[in-house]
Amino acid sequence: MSLHRRTISSDRDNLLPPSRSGKDGRQTGGSSAPGSKGPGSFIPSVGHSASYTSESTSMSTPRGDNSKQDYFGTVSNYRGIRLDDDEKALSKQKQAEYREAISREMKIKIGSENLLEALNFKSAKQAKGQRMKVEDELKSSNRKIARLKLDLEQEIQRVDQPSPPQSGRLSQLFQNAREETSFKALQYGDEAAFDESESPTFILAEILQNLEIQGLPPDYYVEHANNLIVLFKKYQTLKYDLVWSIFGLRVQSMLLSDSREVAAAGYRMMRYAMTDRKSLSFMRSFGTDTFVILSLVKETKASVEREQALKFVRAFLDVKDGIAEISRAVVRTLVAIAEQGDDRMKHICILTLAEVLIRDASLVVSANGITLLADALAEGQHYPCESLTHAFLFLLETPERRRHLSSGYEIEGPFSAFTDVTAHSSEQRLKANASVIACLLKSWQGITALSSNGFNAIKSLTGALYLPSTTVRNVVLELVLDVLRIHPPSWSSSFLAGRRLTTYGAVPAVQREAPKTSWHGQENNEDNAFVDHFRAITLAVLLHCGLQQALLHTVQAEPEPSVKRKATLLLGESLSLLNTLLPETWSSSMQVLPDLFSAASMIGSASRSLASNTIYQIESVNRTLYRSNPRARMQAYDFDTASSLASMRRPSDLQRDTLTAQIEEGPFRAIMAETQVLSSFRYNEWRWPLIQKIIEGPLLNPRRLDEAIKTTKFIKRLVGFFRPFKFRFSAVPNTKINQHRYTRAGCSLIRSLLQTDEGVRYLQENKLIRQIAECLAQVDTASGLTSASPLFSEKRMSDTLTCGYLDLLGEVSVHGQGLAMMERWKMMNMLYHIVELQDRDDLVRSLLSNLDYTRDSHLRVVLSKALTSTSKQIRIFSTRVLRKYAIKKLSDTDASSNNGCAEWAIDLLVTQLYDPEVEVCEASIKILEAACSDMYSLEYVVRCRPALDHLGEIAAPLLLRFLSTSIGYHYLDGLDYISQEMDDWFLGRNDKYVSLIEASLTRALSVSPDAAVNAAEEPQEDQVNTAAPLHFYRELTRTDEGCRLLMNKGHFAEFAAAIRNWGLEDSEPETVLKVKAAMWAVGNIASMEYGSPFLEDSDVVDLLIGIAEDSDIMSMKGTAVFVLGLISKSVHGQEILAEHGWDVTMDDMGESLGICLPLDLSKLFKVSTHDPLQARTLLNAEQVKPTTADMHAGQTSAIAENQVVTDQDATNARILALIKDLGNTVLTKTRAGELHNIKAKKPPGFQSPALFKKVMAVLDQHHFRLPALRFVIDLFDKDVLRRTVLEDSEDDDEGDTTIREALPSPARALLSSP
């Protein structure tokens, strides 16, 4: 499981020189020079409480005359750097203002367009004046938007303009009076500033020598620390040669500085010097644990130092095994900060603790962090809350991890916001908690844990619908819609607003495509089978917990109409899902709604009217759902969805929505007059919806079309509106509303005219096609025609409906007569040249995507040219254009009717497999794989005999498709592919498949229904792939030859033996992975009818049911359930499951949907019981046990042997006892007063490094609040830390006194040379 990580900030900007020293009791190497302290102040960045986007920066302050003196020739002029930062800040402010202004003008523009749309339904006289004002406002907005975008672009280019490269030796950067530009280049990581001839070890030696000097202003140390970081960035291997014992001396001196910026620079130096766990161990030997704790407990005014200290701790997580070097004392400090509600670092500390929880749960448990994280999860205030949820899901996976939970009910905290009627939770908190609950219910770990204790948690959620709170009910309904992946239909907004469901038979959903069928005659829904299986389990759990009764109560008792209607809609959707996804034993008992019908049948009862109205609403919703989504009920029939829907609608609805082609002359003339085309020249006064109906209806009748052409000016004005050189259609702003209104009408007009001989003659004589050809010639460099402002210029294509002419051209290319017109006006020659344009990818893309290639014409040659002789981006786009032609059904009859369109597309795609760019080959592989879902297309691809060896893993899905037919099997067998691939899968690829399928399921389950619908509207290449990957053994078992090979190899018996021997194993991750791989292989083999003989000779189904019901590993349980769903697709598998008390969901034709459930649902959620007493015992043991980091550092070995930290001196012993009592909130105030009194007497203990070490040991053993930590640290004199660190350094590093020993040997040689 991967946890969504939220970093504090990037290190793109270095630390800038500070303006003054801090007052934290730490000193630089010696006393500061005179005049080094100015009156300035450090101002931290202001932002979101959990977002840290600023680096360690500070404000420059005016200096006295002493600041101008040369400190060893290294003090730089910082005025220029400060000015550069001001310019960048001012530029960002300007950019934000420009974007805000653009957003404001866009809203005005959209509002104006909507108002114009509304004015179309008013009479021309009433809306004339208002229309002119709105049009003027729209033009003004367009001009302002264009000007603002230009200003924003210029501002961005001005800031991003690179600075000129710097020249000269890098050593000049360390000489007197160096230039500002050189420092800026080094300061911001300009690698060009380094002289390649200069040895990096020499530069390192020079920097470290400069850092060794003491008594200089903080500016000096910050600058050289930044220089060292830039050096580490450029030379990544340089840090591996450091001698840490002496490098630590320089870091210690910086961390002991009074200046917060200098200390922050020290943390950054160490962070960039990290290499491996050994380097972290060396850093901890410098006393970094103590430094980090002292930095983190400081006040918020030291934010720059606190941020860098926290970054330093988080960097441990990026190093392999770095978690072992994080001490418990540091984690306790993070817990203390996270408990402080007003601390701006609270949320990032919570996220850090969640990451540590995944890496080493015992470390967080020993620091009392589990309770804190559970409280944060219940509060719903941490963002993003899903990241924290995933950490707890990780703990729920295995029994070894679950033992770290003290009570076992930590994940049930978010439910309290819905059940506590006295809390008066805000809607924001309810939605935050709802997102956590949704995340839990979308995972096996979450739904199993919530259902294991008698479904109490989920029952409390459905029970919240009985509470008299509209807010709670609304949020719960939204939550259930999200969990069940129900996307409200297009008419839901109108229904929730109170409109009746009597006119929604013509909803846009009827235009959906018919269900795609595979070559074996079944719906190709394997990609969504696992998601539907999980939805079915979730729906069964919710229904078992009383969801249906709670929804009925909400419908009857809720006073808010919108919430009541939402409950009605959800009830209808749930009944639909119940009928589709769950077995018949569930739907037969719940579809009848017995309580509601009994109430409606009680004559004279007060509730009869309410119950009858509820039944009517539910029936109305179900009827409308049936009309708008017939997929579930028509999946077994092979007829067009749109035509079947039209047949279900009433004739009155059809007459009201469309105009028939057989209309009489009188009504036709009246309708033409109503369009305002004959009475007005202003196209925005025309009634375009009525025009659209006329074009798609009466104009298809040759007699009516002839009348519209010869006796009226209707067709002449319509076609004239679209002529390019009249600049009417071509000048209309490019908006979605205008595209839907004008471009759609133009395409329909071309389509209708080309269907009759009279219309074809009219188009041949009209100037429309000829003028479009002239406009194309303007961008064709070989045509000889030029224009200062071509109609198809890039600006016009983006700002106006000029791009709509390519849609019209696409309609022309559909018909043979239209192709003849294109050839008449030499368009084919122009297209050959246009696809070669290197600077007009927008025009080439629009042309290639709109043209039709169904007919064997010159357009196919144009596309072939774009596939081979253009840029990589155009070749990829052209390859994707072939998709809709390649996936067409291919058969002997279809080949003649479609002019070999599918074969042509497949041939080109096979050619694209040899493109030098891998991205082009990958796009071709994906399309060929989709095309191979049709048996004839698959056989044709095999006959093409594509060579795929050079593509490696990219071609693996296509090769697996070849296995599903006998011809493909023999082809691959001849290449010796099958035996090699079979051995690879048996020896290792099966294990990799587990990771792929689990990642795919995680993506599919985490996608919200709204996101899934939006993704469906995106281009195919832009969609996130959530489909289950193909399995080798599944494709192999599709043929009789493959089954014989599998039987001879004996792999199925090996998989069954692995499940039998280690199916209930719950300790070794490698064994669990092997068992999962074996289960997936068995399920894919048994899902095919040819695989049924393997089940007859094995007891593997009994083993899988045992794992699904009794395994303590939750992901193992979920894998077994999915595999049983695969087995249920075969008839023999259904019989075995029925014998063991499992029911299978069937469709109307008796085919299995791959969904199975136990008759006793509680069997599916049995897990080992949680013992709170045992968990608390473990918690206490972990708290007294030293962590791995502490044992490795040797800092708490004495504590592990003797848990009581005391002192022989009575006063010191009393101090230690009082500090321990500060962890008790009841005694905190009293003990703090006593410590304050002792401090007033100035005992020698507060100046003793020995007592300080013991106090740090106490802080490691016990939990304290953040104010208590600050109080304890402030008790000691400020020089104690320095003395403690220096004493440890003298003991550990005696004899290392020179900087040369801290450097690589080449650097020492350089320093010793004259």
Side-chain angles (χ1 to χ4, degrees):
M1 181 183 295
S2 63
L3 182 65
H4 172 69
R5 301 190 57 186
R6 190 175 185 183
T7 58
I8 303 177
S9 64
S10 64
D11 290 299
R12 183 178 178 182
D13 298 324
N14 297 322
L15 290 171
L16 294 186
S19 59
R20 62 181 177 88
S21 301
K23 299 181 179 180
D24 302 308
R26 298 180 303 187
Q27 302 175 359
T28 320
S31 60
S32 300
S36 61
K37 293 184 179 181
S41 62
F42 176 77
I43 302 178
S45 60
V46 179
H48 192 277
S49 60
S51 176
Y52 304 91
T53 58
S54 64
E55 275 295 343
S56 303
T57 60
S58 62
M59 299 181 61
S60 299
T61 57
R63 297 177 179 271
D65 296 336
N66 294 332
S67 62
K68 298 180 181 179
Q69 54 184 304
D70 185 17
Y71 295 105
F72 297 92
T74 54
V75 179
S76 303
N77 181 11
Y78 296 99
R79 187 179 302 277
I81 303 170
R82 171 65 196 201
L83 181 60
D84 185 77
D85 287 344
D86 288 343
E87 290 178 353
K88 288 189 175 182
L90 182 60
S91 176
K92 290 182 180 179
Q93 183 179 357
K94 287 183 179 180
Q95 293 177 26
E97 293 175 354
Y98 286 143
R99 291 189 177 95
E100 183 180 359
I102 291 173
S103 176
R104 183 169 57 253
E105 293 298 331
M106 286 297 297
K107 292 179 181 179
I108 296 176
K109 176 183 176 182
I110 295 173
S112 301
E113 292 173 351
N114 294 336
L115 184 56
L116 285 176
E117 174 72 14
L119 292 176
N120 288 331
F121 297 96
K122 293 185 178 181
S123 63
K125 293 182 180 180
Q126 294 177 353
K128 183 176 181 180
Q130 191 174 2
R131 180 184 297 277
M132 294 179 63
K133 293 181 180 179
V134 175
E135 289 178 349
D136 293 339
E137 185 66 29
L138 182 60
K139 293 178 182 179
S140 176
S141 297
N142 289 330
R143 288 194 299 268
K144 291 180 180 179
I145 291 173
R147 185 176 67 254
L148 289 171
K149 286 183 178 180
L150 180 61
D151 294 343
L152 177 61
E153 184 179 357
Q154 291 177 351
E155 183 65 24
I156 294 175
Q157 291 177 355
R158 184 182 68 84
V159 176
D160 294 341
Q161 185 177 3
S163 57
Q166 306 298 323
S167 59
R169 289 167 52 86
L170 180 67
S171 57
Q172 294 177 355
L173 296 174
F174 301 96
Q175 296 176 357
N176 297 342
R178 57 188 170 177
E179 297 180 356
E180 170 195 341
T181 55
S182 299
F183 178 81
K184 283 179 61 179
L186 184 61
Q187 181 80 9
Y188 294 100
D190 188 359
E191 296 182 358
F194 289 98
D195 189 352
E196 295 296 337
S197 62
E198 196 75 59
S199 171
T201 54
F202 180 83
I203 301 173
L204 175 62
E206 201 167 2
I207 294 175
L208 291 178
Q209 275 187 327
N210 291 329
L211 285 175
E212 190 177 9
I213 303 171
Q214 299 182 1
L216 298 180
D219 305 4
Y220 172 86
Y221 300 100
V222 172
E223 174 192 345
H224 284 87
N226 289 336
N227 295 344
L228 182 61
I229 291 170
V230 172
L231 189 66
F232 282 153
K233 286 182 178 180
K234 181 172 177 60
Y235 301 101
Q236 297 289 336
T237 60
L238 187 62
K239 53 190 175 183
Y240 289 91
D241 298 329
L242 284 175
V243 178
W244 290 98
S245 58
I246 304 302
F247 178 76
L249 296 177
R250 306 283 73 78
V251 174
Q252 282 180 341
S253 63
M254 296 184 69
L255 296 180
L256 287 168
S257 173
D258 285 343
S259 172
R260 306 184 187 111
E261 289 80 5
V262 174
Y267 287 121
R268 293 187 70 238
M269 284 175 55
M270 288 192 295
R271 182 154 51 90
Y272 279 95
M274 290 180 179
T275 55
D276 51 17
R277 181 180 175 182
K278 186 177 180 180
S279 66
L280 302 182
S281 179
F282 280 127
M283 290 180 184
R284 296 190 65 226
S285 66
F286 307 155
T288 54
D289 290 350
T290 303
F291 285 121
V292 167
I293 294 173
L294 267 60
S295 296
L296 290 177
V297 301
K298 290 185 177 180
E299 299 288 345
T300 56
K301 62 183 179 181
S303 60
V304 61
E305 181 180 346
R306 299 180 74 210
E307 290 177 13
Q308 291 300 325
L310 184 55
K311 276 186 173 184
F312 174 70
V313 175
R314 288 177 59 84
F316 279 54
L317 301 175
D318 297 329
V319 178
K320 183 180 179 181
D321 298 329
I323 186 64
E325 296 297 332
I326 299 180
S327 67
R328 181 172 55 197
V330 173
V331 178
R332 285 191 184 276
T333 307
L334 296 178
V335 172
I337 297 175
E339 290 176 341
Q340 196 71 12
D342 57 348
D343 197 296
R344 64 187 295 263
M345 296 177 61
K346 170 185 177 180
H347 297 287
I348 193 62
C349 286
I350 291 176
L351 182 58
T352 304
L353 289 172
E355 295 184 38
V356 175
L357 182 65
I358 291 178
R359 306 289 183 87
D360 188 358
S362 60
L363 180 59
V364 179
V365 170
S366 63
N368 286 343
I370 289 290
T371 304
L372 166 72
L373 294 179
D375 292 341
L377 189 69
E379 291 174 1
Q381 297 178 357
H382 175 65
Y383 179 84
C385 51
E386 289 82 0
S387 60
L388 190 55
T389 309
H390 291 157
F392 281 96
L393 292 177
F394 178 80
L395 288 186
L396 293 171
E397 169 65 10
T398 63
E400 287 77 14
R401 299 175 193 168
R402 289 197 291 271
R403 66 191 179 91
H404 295 295
L405 300 176
S406 58
S407 65
Y409 303 104
E410 282 80 1
I411 64 171
E412 297 183 7
F415 291 85
S416 62
F418 298 92
T419 57
D420 189 359
V421 295
T422 62
H424 300 289
S425 300
S426 64
E427 185 176 3
Q428 183 180 2
R429 185 194 173 191
L430 288 173
K431 290 183 177 180
N433 287 8
S435 64
V436 174
I437 297 174
C439 187
L440 292 172
L441 293 177
K442 290 179 182 179
S443 65
W444 268 110
Q445 295 85 351
I447 195 171
T448 304
L450 294 174
S451 305
S452 59
N453 190 23
F455 303 92
N456 288 337
I458 302 179
K459 287 180 180 178
S460 67
L461 180 65
T462 57
L465 293 174
Y466 291 95
L467 299 177
S469 174
T470 300
T471 303
V472 172
R473 286 172 175 169
N474 184 49
V475 175
V476 171
L477 294 177
E478 293 288 347
L479 170 61
V480 176
L481 287 171
D482 182 23
V483 169
L484 295 179
R485 302 177 60 81
I486 298 175
H487 176 70
S490 57
W491 43 265
S492 61
S493 58
S494 300
F495 172 68
L496 296 178
R499 293 180 58 185
R500 297 179 61 190
L501 290 177
T502 56
T503 60
Y504 297 112
V507 292
V510 300
Q511 302 299 332
R512 296 175 182 173
E513 295 181 357
K516 296 181 181 179
T517 56
S518 60
W519 54 266
H520 47 75
Q522 296 178 353
E523 186 182 352
N524 190 18
N525 60 352
E526 296 176 357
D527 295 344
N528 298 322
F530 298 129
V531 176
D532 288 341
H533 198 169
F534 191 83
R535 291 176 68 196
I537 294 173
T538 307
L539 178 62
V541 170
L542 291 173
L543 292 175
H544 179 76
C545 295
L547 175 64
Q548 191 177 77
Q549 293 79 6
L551 290 176
L552 287 173
H553 175 80
T554 304
V555 172
Q556 298 174 355
E558 174 58 40
E560 178 64 30
S562 62
V563 177
K564 178 183 293 188
R565 285 175 168 262
K566 184 178 293 185
T568 304
L569 178 62
L570 178 56
L571 184 59
E573 291 276 9
S574 63
L575 291 175
S576 177
L577 286 178
L578 174 63
N579 183 57
T580 305
L581 298 180
L582 292 184
E584 188 175 350
T585 53
W586 284 78
S587 58
S588 60
S589 59
M590 292 189 174
Q591 289 282 358
V592 294
L593 302 176
D595 297 336
L596 189 63
F597 276 94
S598 61
S601 60
M602 296 176 62
I603 301 177
S605 174
S607 60
R608 180 174 184 271
S609 176
L610 182 59
S612 301
N613 182 54
T614 303
I615 293 175
Y616 168 76
Q617 292 288 348
I618 296 173
E619 191 274 337
S620 180
V621 168
N622 281 330
R623 183 174 61 250
T624 310
L625 287 173
Y626 184 93
R627 293 173 178 172
S628 61
N629 187 18
R631 184 186 183 95
R633 295 167 176 82
M634 298 181 181
Q635 59 184 1
Y637 302 95
D638 189 14
F639 54 82
D640 184 74
T641 306
S643 61
S644 63
L645 280 174
S647 64
M648 288 190 297
R649 296 168 56 191
R650 295 190 297 268
S652 59
D653 293 337
L654 295 174
Q655 294 176 2
R656 187 166 56 246
D657 293 337
T658 61
L659 294 176
T660 177
Q662 306 303 324
I663 191 172
E664 297 295 333
E665 179 180 354
F668 178 60
R669 286 179 175 272
I671 293 175
M672 283 194 297
E674 289 181 15
T675 62
Q676 305 296 324
V677 174
L678 302 177
S679 59
S680 174
F681 288 96
R682 296 176 61 89
Y683 66 88
N684 49 14
E685 295 180 358
W686 298 350
R687 297 182 58 185
W688 286 97
L690 185 57
I691 294 174
Q692 183 73 29
K693 294 180 181 180
I694 293 176
I695 293 174
E696 296 176 350
L699 290 187
L700 296 177
N701 188 332
R703 181 176 299 178
R704 300 282 82 84
L705 177 62
D706 183 71
E707 180 182 351
I709 293 175
K710 295 181 179 179
T711 63
T712 67
K713 294 184 179 182
F714 184 79
I715 296 296
K716 180 180 179 181
R717 290 189 177 179
L718 272 183
V719 176
F721 166 74
F722 291 100
R723 281 169 54 181
F725 295 148
K726 286 197 173 183
F727 297 103
R728 305 182 73 189
F729 175 75
S730 59
V732 175
N734 186 8
T735 63
K736 289 184 178 180
I737 294 177
N738 291 340
Q739 290 175 7
H740 178 76
R741 180 188 303 158
Y742 303 120
T743 306
R744 178 166 165 259
C747 293
S748 300
L749 179 61
I750 296 294
R751 192 183 310 118
S752 298
L753 291 176
L754 288 174
Q755 290 183 5
T756 60
D757 295 337
E758 184 66 26
V760 171
R761 285 194 298 269
Y762 184 83
L763 275 181
Q764 290 174 345
E765 298 171 358
N766 195 271
K767 297 180 181 180
L768 175 62
I769 306 299
R770 186 183 69 184
Q771 289 186 3
I772 294 177
E774 291 181 19
C775 294
L776 287 175
Q778 293 175 356
V779 294
D780 178 13
T781 56
S783 66
L785 294 178
T786 59
S787 174
S789 178
L791 193 70
F792 286 108
S793 64
E794 187 173 359
K795 181 175 178 56
R796 286 193 175 185
M797 288 277 292
S798 62
D799 295 344
T800 66
L801 286 185
T802 300
C803 56
Y805 285 114
L806 303 181
D807 294 270
L808 271 62
L809 206 58
E811 291 294 337
V812 173
S813 64
V814 173
H815 301 271
Q817 298 288 349
L819 291 173
M821 295 180 199
M822 295 176 66
E823 293 179 356
R824 174 188 177 187
W825 299 112
K826 311 299 180 183
M827 284 192 189
M828 300 303 178
N829 296 335
M830 300 175 193
L831 295 178
Y832 289 143
H833 300 146
I834 289 175
V835 294
E836 295 179 346
L837 297 177
Q838 299 296 326
D839 57 343
R840 290 303 309 275
D841 284 0
D842 61 318
L843 180 59
V844 176
R845 288 172 184 264
S846 298
L847 276 172
L848 295 177
S849 61
N850 284 290
L851 295 176
D852 184 82
Y853 308 96
T854 304
R855 298 178 179 271
D856 189 5
S857 64
H858 286 284
L859 295 181
R860 291 187 177 182
V861 183
V862 173
L863 183 59
S864 301
K865 186 175 183 179
L867 288 168
T868 56
S869 59
T870 55
S871 63
K872 182 180 75 172
Q873 288 75 16
I874 296 299
R875 296 204 307 274
I876 296 175
F877 182 83
S878 305
T879 303
R880 291 168 176 169
V881 169
L882 292 171
R883 180 183 181 87
K884 69 177 181 179
Y885 305 100
I887 62 177
K888 290 182 177 181
K889 284 188 177 182
L890 189 150
S891 63
D892 295 335
T893 56
D894 291 337
S896 58
S897 60
N898 290 336
N899 299 318
C901 180
E903 295 97 326
W904 163 77
I906 291 174
D907 289 336
L908 289 180
L909 288 171
V910 172
T911 305
Q912 292 302 97
L913 295 176
Y914 310 107
D915 193 278
E917 297 292 341
V918 179
E919 292 87 348
V920 179
C921 302
E922 188 175 3
S924 179
I925 286 289
K926 290 181 179 180
I927 300 173
L928 286 174
E929 183 187 355
C932 287
S933 59
D934 178 65
M935 183 185 66
Y936 299 103
S937 298
L938 175 58
E939 293 179 351
Y940 185 81
V941 174
V942 175
R943 287 198 298 268
C944 293
R945 303 182 67 84
L948 303 173
D949 296 342
H950 64 290
L951 296 179
E953 290 296 327
I954 297 177
L958 182 59
L959 291 173
L960 290 181
R961 288 285 189 183
F962 288 0
L963 286 176
S964 59
T965 61
S966 295
I967 183 175
Y969 178 88
H970 292 295
Y971 169 67
L972 294 177
D973 189 38
L975 299 177
D976 198 24
Y977 168 82
I978 297 178
S979 58
Q980 295 180 9
E981 191 73 6
M982 197 171 188
D983 293 338
D984 290 343
W985 275 80
F986 184 75
L987 296 176
R989 294 277 291 278
N990 257 332
D991 299 344
K992 296 181 180 178
Y993 182 83
V994 174
S995 301
L996 292 176
I997 188 67
E998 289 183 352
S1000 175
L1001 289 173
T1002 301
R1003 286 194 301 268
L1005 293 175
S1006 61
V1007 175
S1008 64
D1010 292 337
V1013 172
N1014 295 334
E1017 298 175 355
E1018 295 177 356
Q1020 185 72 25
E1021 58 273 11
D1022 297 334
Q1023 297 181 20
V1024 178
N1025 184 19
T1026 59
L1030 295 177
H1031 199 286
F1032 173 81
Y1033 289 100
R1034 179 184 179 86
E1035 302 303 319
L1036 184 67
T1037 321
R1038 289 184 184 273
T1039 59
D1040 185 56
E1041 298 88 344
C1043 288
R1044 287 198 297 268
L1045 176 63
L1046 184 60
M1047 186 70 72
N1048 296 333
K1049 289 281 188 178
H1051 287 184
F1052 188 89
E1054 295 288 343
F1055 295 141
I1059 298 174
R1060 185 181 302 106
N1061 295 333
W1062 301 299
L1064 297 177
E1065 177 70 35
D1066 59 359
S1067 58
E1068 295 296 333
E1070 294 79 6
T1071 305
V1072 172
L1073 180 63
K1074 291 291 184 182
V1075 175
K1076 287 182 180 179
M1079 288 194 294
W1080 281 114
V1082 166
N1084 281 279
I1085 293 172
S1087 63
M1088 300 288 102
E1089 290 298 334
Y1090 283 121
S1092 298
F1094 294 97
L1095 293 179
E1096 296 176 357
D1097 303 332
S1098 174
D1099 60 344
V1100 67
V1101 178
D1102 300 347
L1103 300 173
L1104 291 173
I1105 292 177
I1107 294 174
E1109 295 180 353
D1110 300 326
S1111 178
D1112 287 334
I1113 301 179
M1114 295 186 180
S1115 63
M1116 184 85 79
K1117 184 188 292 286
T1119 301
V1121 173
F1122 285 137
V1123 170
L1124 289 174
L1126 289 174
I1127 294 176
S1128 69
K1129 291 186 177 182
S1130 64
V1131 177
H1132 189 65
Q1134 297 169 19
E1135 296 174 354
I1136 299 176
L1137 288 171
E1139 294 175 359
H1140 290 80
W1142 283 62
D1143 205 352
V1144 180
T1145 304
M1146 314 292 286
D1147 62 10
D1148 294 340
M1149 299 299 293
E1151 297 289 341
S1152 171
L1153 296 180
I1155 299 174
C1156 61
L1157 291 172
L1159 296 177
D1160 184 3
L1161 193 62
S1162 60
K1163 291 182 178 180
L1164 199 58
F1165 303 107
K1166 290 190 303 182
V1167 292
S1168 59
T1169 57
H1170 187 85
D1171 187 358
L1173 180 60
Q1174 181 181 2
R1176 282 193 293 270
T1177 304
L1178 174 66
L1179 175 62
N1180 296 331
E1182 301 236 352
Q1183 287 178 345
V1184 301
K1185 181 179 65 176
T1187 63
T1188 305
D1190 295 331
M1191 295 175 64
H1192 187 271
Q1195 294 181 358
T1196 58
S1197 57
I1199 302 175
E1201 298 174 359
N1202 183 11
Q1203 296 300 321
V1204 179
V1205 180
T1206 184
D1207 195 280
Q1208 295 180 356
D1209 184 79
T1211 304
N1212 293 346
R1214 180 58 180 168
I1215 292 174
L1216 292 173
L1218 292 175
I1219 290 177
K1220 292 177 186 177
D1221 291 342
L1222 289 178
N1224 189 336
T1225 55
V1226 178
L1227 303 175
T1228 299
K1229 188 174 181 180
T1230 304
R1231 298 300 184 260
E1234 293 184 30
L1235 285 171
H1236 184 73
N1237 294 334
I1238 296 176
K1239 172 68 174 177
K1241 298 177 182 178
K1242 298 182 180 181
F1246 289 130
Q1247 291 88 26
S1248 171
L1251 183 61
F1252 181 79
K1253 293 179 182 180
K1254 292 183 179 181
V1255 169
M1256 297 304 296
V1258 171
L1259 298 183
D1260 176 81
Q1261 282 185 331
H1262 302 276
H1263 175 68
F1264 296 91
R1265 294 279 184 174
L1266 185 60
L1269 289 175
R1270 290 172 180 165
F1271 176 76
V1272 171
I1273 298 300
D1274 291 340
L1275 289 174
F1276 287 87
D1277 289 352
K1278 297 179 180 179
D1279 195 47
V1280 174
L1281 176 60
R1282 167 178 293 279
R1283 291 164 53 196
T1284 303
V1285 171
L1286 292 181
E1287 287 180 5
D1288 293 340
S1289 299
E1290 291 174 359
D1291 294 338
D1292 297 337
D1293 305 319
E1294 185 176 0
D1296 295 334
T1297 57
T1298 61
I1299 192 63
R1300 290 180 176 83
E1301 298 182 18
L1303 301 173
S1305 55
R1308 293 197 294 268
L1310 284 173
L1311 290 177
S1312 60
S1313 61

